[in-house]
Amino acid sequence: WVVIGNTSPQEIGEIPPMPDLEFEIDIVNRENGYKPRPYQYQGVARGLELKRFINGDEQGLGKTMQSIATIYTADKYNNEIVYPCLVICPATTKINWQREWQMWTGKKAMILEDKIKDTWHRYHEVAGVDVFIVNYESLRKYFVHKMPTKKTYKSSDIEMNPRVKLFNSVIIDEIHRCKDRNTQQTKIALQIALGKLYRIGLTGTMIVNKPIDALPQLAIIGKLANEKIFRERYCEGGKGAANLKELNYKLNQHCFFRREKKDVAKDLPEKQRQTILCDITNRAEYNKAKNDFVKWMEDNGCDNEEIARKLRGEIMVRMGVLKQISAKGKLNEVKEFVQEVMDSGEKLILFHNLHEIGDEVRRMFPTAVSVNGRMSADEKQKAIDSFQNNPNVKLIVCNIKAAGVGITLTASSRVAFIEYPWTYADCAQCEDRAHRIGQKNNVMCTYFLGQNTIDEEMYQMIQDKRHVGNTITGATDEMDMSFVDNVINLFK
């Protein structure tokens, strides 16, 4: 856009309302039948207008789905050439991106890995794969032919693999990771994005520190008119901040939008749930324990209902071991998620079961407070008061048994579970530490599930229990026998 001179008064106008989508689109969640919410349709409509833009919606408002729907709609309804599409994202979210593409559009999405390093493009030509997913750390591996040998180099000095030109659109999740123009990842991302019809950046924290953070991100989406003037006008040469109202106005005019929960509250239910699939880091340990469990059941004749009933307690203990191993393997992804929430300025309530899991999270985040069974009543209350009243305390780490009932944590509208209880009623009790009188926002509940572990099936069975009255009203600590039967059937 045209940037006025450095000494001119700020140019500020009224930011127009988001446009409505003027036609019906067949985007629907294939798992639950949900359609996008009204503000999400507006995000798609604005994305189709801008084509090269950053969606800065507050965390939890569905930036991923909106970007997917924008690309899908551009192809199906506007007849724009957008496939193949490349998704660049943190390593911990690759599985979820693949799942979201399938869930909302039915499109085949492939995660790039070593075994297809030299042949991935063939999957688009032969197998109909329209979307490829790669993490930031692997950009060089898959898309760079040769890096410059000199110590200081420009993005244009990188010799890219010609196959990068196959992509017609790119979605860059957490684009604020490219806030430093000097990093290799930022330079490669810029080269990948060049010439793409759609360039979509997603971030709830575009400006992490100062306006200079936005400069490389705007360059990547192709909306940086003049770097020198941008630095002088908005960054006081690079280290400061100036004319911020004008910057906000111009960003919203040309390449950016952001909604917060309070802006779209009427479109949101009081409570939402989402799951994050995690590729656990201790897969070998989990597989060994699973195989041991299967062998134990076979040796003890657990395919016989009467025997299984007698061994119910032992079965639960062994299932608990699998849950514990999965919990440890999820911690890397949990760390990234928690950091993202805290960076966005929000508070988070994080539930766990094992003390060692809670201790590890506290080591990761020393400023967090906690509530657990090893604390006195006074210590617990002090932690709760600190979380509720101190704006600098962003994270409370809660043991399910110690904090699942009887306390109020309405300073946060975000609840997450590394581990979770056996029953739906107990899950709801934990969720309702935030979902109480005094809560002004909708509550988002996030469950971390180890991919291809007991977590996935257990979570589904727990959710199925929502429709069983005695589970909702009974709030019992006991898991009924049908639940054990279902889990046993998983391992047969």
Side-chain angles (χ1 to χ4, degrees), residues 371-396:
V371 175
N372 60 61
R374 298 175 295 191
M375 301 167 66
S376 69
D378 287 344
E379 288 172 329
K380 291 178 185 177
Q381 193 58 53
K382 183 178 179 181
I384 292 165
D385 291 343
S386 180
F387 182 73
Q388 286 287 88
N389 303 316
N390 186 341
N392 296 318
V393 177
K394 300 291 187 188
L395 177 64
I396 186 165

Side-chain angles (χ1 to χ4, degrees), residues 202-418:
L202 307 178
T203 175
T205 51
M206 181 182 181
I207 310 296
V208 178
N209 297 306
K210 294 178 180 177
I212 194 70
D213 293 344
L215 197 151
Q217 299 174 60
L218 294 173
I220 288 170
I221 65 167
K223 291 291 179 111
L224 181 66
N226 187 304
E227 180 179 334
K228 183 174 183 292
I229 294 177
F230 186 96
R231 284 174 172 273
E232 292 174 355
R233 181 72 178 165
Y234 305 118
C235 310
E236 296 179 330
K239 297 181 180 179
N243 302 310
L244 299 185
K245 290 184 178 179
E246 177 185 285
L247 178 57
N248 177 61
Y249 171 62
K250 287 188 170 292
L251 286 172
N252 277 276
Q253 256 191 323
H254 299 286
C255 61
F256 177 81
F257 59 84
R258 174 179 172 83
R259 282 79 55 87
E260 296 183 353
K261 286 178 187 172
K262 59 183 174 61
D263 303 321
V264 297
K266 68 182 189 303
D267 294 342
L268 296 172
E270 289 187 2
K271 190 192 289 187
Q272 294 173 275
R273 291 183 182 87
Q274 67 175 6
T275 58
I276 294 180
L277 277 179
C278 305
D279 187 10
I280 60 172
T281 55
N282 52 354
R283 178 67 61 186
E285 181 186 4
Y286 181 86
N287 287 343
K288 182 181 184 304
K290 184 184 78 170
N291 293 336
D292 289 346
F293 180 39
V294 171
K295 186 175 187 305
W296 178 85
M297 286 196 298
E298 290 173 349
D299 291 347
N300 286 275
C302 288
D303 54 347
N304 181 292
E305 186 176 334
E306 187 61 33
I307 293 174
R309 189 173 298 277
K310 291 178 179 177
L311 293 173
R312 176 172 174 266
E314 179 73 9
I315 290 170
M316 288 179 66
V317 169
R318 289 175 178 268
M319 281 163 41
V321 171
L322 293 177
K323 287 178 64 180
Q324 292 168 13
I325 295 171
S326 177
K328 295 172 189 173
K330 293 183 277 190
L331 284 176
N332 281 356
E333 304 206 18
V334 170
K335 182 179 180 180
E336 284 207 21
F337 175 86
V338 172
Q339 191 63 59
E340 182 186 340
V341 173
M342 292 170 62
D343 286 347
S344 72
E346 290 191 85
K347 294 192 176 208
L348 176 68
I349 307 161
L350 187 63
F351 280 101
H352 67 92
N353 189 35
L354 290 172
H355 283 308
E356 63 186 282
I357 295 293
D359 293 342
E360 183 59 33
V361 174
R362 286 294 306 277
R363 279 191 286 272
M364 293 174 177
F365 300 99
T367 60
V369 295
S370 62
V371 175
N372 60 61
R374 298 175 295 191
M375 301 167 66
S376 69
D378 287 344
E379 288 172 329
K380 291 178 185 177
Q381 193 58 53
K382 183 178 179 181
I384 292 165
D385 291 343
S386 180
F387 182 73
Q388 286 287 88
N389 303 316
N390 186 341
N392 296 318
V393 177
K394 300 291 187 188
L395 177 64
I396 186 165
V397 183
C398 294
N399 175 269
I400 290 168
K401 288 185 178 178
V405 294
I407 66 173
T408 296
L409 298 170
T410 49
S412 172
S413 60
R414 302 298 300 266
V415 182
F417 294 82
I418 306 174

Side-chain angles (χ1 to χ4, degrees), residues 83 106-109 121-132:
Y83 296 121
K107 288 284 183 184
K108 290 183 181 180
H121 58 291
R122 298 288 295 160
Y123 286 85
H124 174 66
E125 299 163 4
V126 177
V129 176
D130 285 325
V131 180
F132 295 88

Side-chain angles (χ1 to χ4, degrees), residues 134-145:
V134 65
N135 55 295
Y136 282 93
E137 295 80 6
S138 296
L139 292 178
R140 176 175 178 175
K141 180 197 301 185
Y142 293 109
F143 303 123
V144 173
H145 180 65

Side-chain angles (χ1 to χ4, degrees), residues 463-479:
Q463 293 309 307
D464 290 344
K465 288 291 184 181
R466 280 193 295 167
H467 308 295
V468 181
N470 64 356
T471 307
I472 295 172
T473 58
T476 174
D477 285 333
E478 290 193 12
M479 180 178 61

Side-chain angles (χ1 to χ4, degrees), residues 18 37-43 57-62 66 257-270 272 440-442:
M18 293 281 283
R37 305 187 187 281
Y39 73 87
Q40 294 173 327
Y41 281 121
Q42 291 180 328
D57 280 352
E58 186 177 356
Q59 196 181 35
L61 293 187
Q66 290 176 65
F257 59 84
R258 174 179 172 83
R259 282 79 55 87
E260 296 183 353
K261 286 178 187 172
K262 59 183 174 61
D263 303 321
V264 297
K266 68 182 189 303
D267 294 342
L268 296 172
E270 289 187 2
Q272 294 173 275
K440 298 176 182 177
N441 298 310
N442 98 303

